[in-house]
Amino acid sequence: MKIGLIPKLLAGIILGMVAGLYLPDEGVRVFITVKGIIGQFIGFTVPLIIIFFITSGVAQLGNQSGKTVGMTVAVAYLSTICAGTLAYFAASNLIPALASSGGNIAGQEAALKPFFELKIDPMMGVMTALVAAFLFGIGLSKVKNETLYQFFQGGKAIIDLVIIKVIIPILPFYIAAIFAGMASEGQVFETVKVFGIVLLLAVALHWIWLVVLYGISAGVAGKSPFRALRHMLPAYMTAIGTMSSAATIPVTLNSVKKVGVKGEVANFVVPLSATIHLSGSTITLLTCSMAVMFLSNGLEIPGYFQVLPFIAMLGIMMVAAPGVPGGAVMASIGLLGTMLGFDEAAIGLMIALYMAQDSFGTACNVTGDGAIAMLVEKWSGLGVDSSKQNTIAS
């Protein structure tokens, strides 16, 4: 019987805690050595994820024309920014209130050292990769160089395979190594408590945002928000199982059409939104990052305008999130390091927190696509134009 990723992550957390509490120092150092090697490999792949996924995503967007593309991108981006803002204010206020104390997980010298360190330097920095990705993506949409386009598509397929076949399978060992180190230093129990708070808070914020988003979109489109949400439930439940917006597209399309969105609008907006609208993932990333900062620095969570550039960049980086479990957090690792100052331990905690509820974030993403489709249909006039054309044709 195939064991799912979440049970493996939970097993990794338990194994790491037990190892850190009961193994001698030499045994814990084995875990710390493994953590360093895996962390170096993940850091090496981050610029490659950015280069190939953002280049492919921007090039594909550029190949489509018309105001509908721009409108869909703008509405999806605005939804992402607003969702991140909601998550920031909720998490920055509730996590310190609900958790008894912070810690000093990140930014400190570990008590135990690895047996050896394997240094794997990335091919380029995160911001260099981001600028290069947009440069090539925009350029490919204009130049139409099929050879270069296939190169980036092939690179995307390779990195996709690396994520699915290498990074995702080794994550439980990475998480176990992180928790072994924390347990050996007496920091693990407060971390686990905050984990539980964050997971519940993130799922609650997903639903709050969906109610807000559908309240706005259904009001604009003249529909019932709760009836629309009811029609979207099959997509929500399917996404929980697949943990992939791309894999859920057929069910999402069917649900969006049942909401009342015209077929030609749904067929265009839903596949595009599956790539660019990740409000649920953004909520999770902001909630988890605030929790990790609380664990790292006590109550010193930065102000909103300090975090806003991170939220804005996160909305752009979501274009790089592949349709695989954990794609969003893998694409955001570079920003966490460069903009929020996360070190390897903090990034490891982020991955553990995010992956534990990735399915619920994905479910929020795809469910929100129905609201995006309603807004695009209403503001673009495609549904009206289509009905007029059908009447004339008949």
Side-chain angles (χ1 to χ4, degrees):
M1 184 177 64
K2 186 176 180 180
I3 302 175
L5 178 60
I6 292 178
K8 289 179 181 177
L9 290 174
L10 292 175
I13 292 173
I14 295 171
L15 173 63
M17 291 173 62
V18 172
L21 291 172
Y22 298 107
L23 283 182
D25 287 351
E26 296 304 305
V28 177
R29 288 180 66 193
V30 173
F31 282 85
I32 294 175
T33 304
V34 170
K35 180 189 73 171
I37 295 172
I38 298 176
Q40 286 288 311
F41 178 74
I42 291 174
F44 173 80
T45 61
V46 169
L48 299 177
I49 292 171
I50 294 171
I51 278 282
F52 288 111
F53 280 96
I54 288 188
T55 299
S56 300
V58 172
Q60 289 173 356
L61 282 178
N63 288 332
Q64 303 179 63
S65 59
K67 69 175 184 179
T68 310
V69 176
M71 184 176 296
T72 304
V73 172
V75 173
Y77 185 72
L78 181 61
S79 171
T80 299
I81 298 299
C82 293
T85 299
L86 168 68
Y88 167 79
F89 283 108
S92 61
N93 287 283
L94 290 177
I95 290 175
L98 296 174
S100 59
S101 64
N104 192 26
I105 304 302
Q108 69 170 12
E109 290 294 323
L112 298 176
K113 302 295 182 183
F115 286 109
F116 64 90
E117 295 182 358
L118 180 64
K119 188 72 173 175
I120 309 175
D121 293 323
M123 297 177 68
M124 64 185 73
V126 170
M127 295 310 296
T128 302
L130 185 61
V131 173
F134 275 98
L135 181 66
F136 280 106
I138 295 171
L140 281 173
S141 69
K142 304 297 182 183
V143 174
K144 312 295 183 186
N145 187 308
E146 186 63 25
T147 301
L148 193 56
Y149 180 76
Q150 289 302 322
F151 167 76
F152 283 104
Q153 288 295 98
K156 178 179 180 294
I158 291 172
I159 299 302
D160 206 352
L161 194 64
V162 170
I163 293 174
I164 295 172
K165 299 296 185 181
V166 180
I167 294 179
I168 297 298
I170 64 177
L171 277 180
F173 300 99
Y174 187 49
I175 301 306
I178 290 171
F179 274 81
M182 288 192 298
S184 69
E185 297 165 14
Q187 302 164 335
V188 71
F189 293 108
E190 180 61 27
T191 302
V192 171
K193 177 184 176 181
V194 175
F195 261 43
I197 294 172
V198 169
L199 297 181
L200 293 175
L201 179 60
V203 175
L205 289 174
H206 291 160
W207 275 101
I208 290 172
W209 178 243
L210 287 176
V211 170
V212 171
L213 190 58
Y214 273 86
I216 295 171
S217 60
V220 170
K223 304 178 187 294
S224 167
F226 295 104
R227 184 178 292 116
L229 276 170
R230 189 180 73 240
H231 285 307
M232 292 300 299
L233 280 177
Y236 184 91
M237 299 307 297
T238 303
I240 289 178
T242 63
M243 296 175 68
S244 169
S245 298
T248 314
I249 284 176
V251 180
T252 309
L253 269 172
N254 186 55
S255 296
V256 170
K257 290 174 183 178
K258 286 184 178 179
V259 169
V261 177
K262 296 293 188 296
E264 59 266 37
V265 179
N267 291 339
F268 173 80
V269 174
V270 169
L272 180 58
S273 296
T275 304
I276 63 175
H277 181 234
L278 285 86
S279 56
S281 297
T282 302
I283 286 173
T284 304
L285 286 167
L286 262 294
T287 307
C288 293
S289 62
M290 292 302 103
V292 171
M293 294 180 83
F294 173 74
L295 288 169
S296 303
N297 305 305
L299 302 178
E300 297 176 6
I301 293 177
Y304 174 66
F305 289 103
Q306 292 176 275
V307 178
L308 182 58
F310 171 72
I311 299 174
M313 288 298 296
L314 198 59
I316 297 172
M317 291 292 286
M318 290 298 96
V319 177
V324 297
V329 71
M330 295 306 301
S332 68
I333 286 175
L335 291 182
L336 292 169
T338 57
M339 300 189 75
L340 296 186
F342 281 24
D343 67 356
E344 184 181 296
I347 288 174
L349 283 178
M350 275 294 301
I351 294 174
L353 275 167
Y354 184 90
M355 294 301 296
Q357 67 75 68
D358 185 33
S359 57
F360 293 98
T362 302
C364 179
N365 293 338
V366 302
T367 305
D369 293 347
I372 302 298
M374 282 193 287
L375 289 172
V376 171
E377 180 185 49
K378 181 67 176 179
W379 288 338
S380 67
L382 285 177
V384 175
D385 292 340
S386 174
S387 61
K388 286 181 179 178
Q389 291 169 1
N390 291 337
T391 301
I392 293 172
S394 62

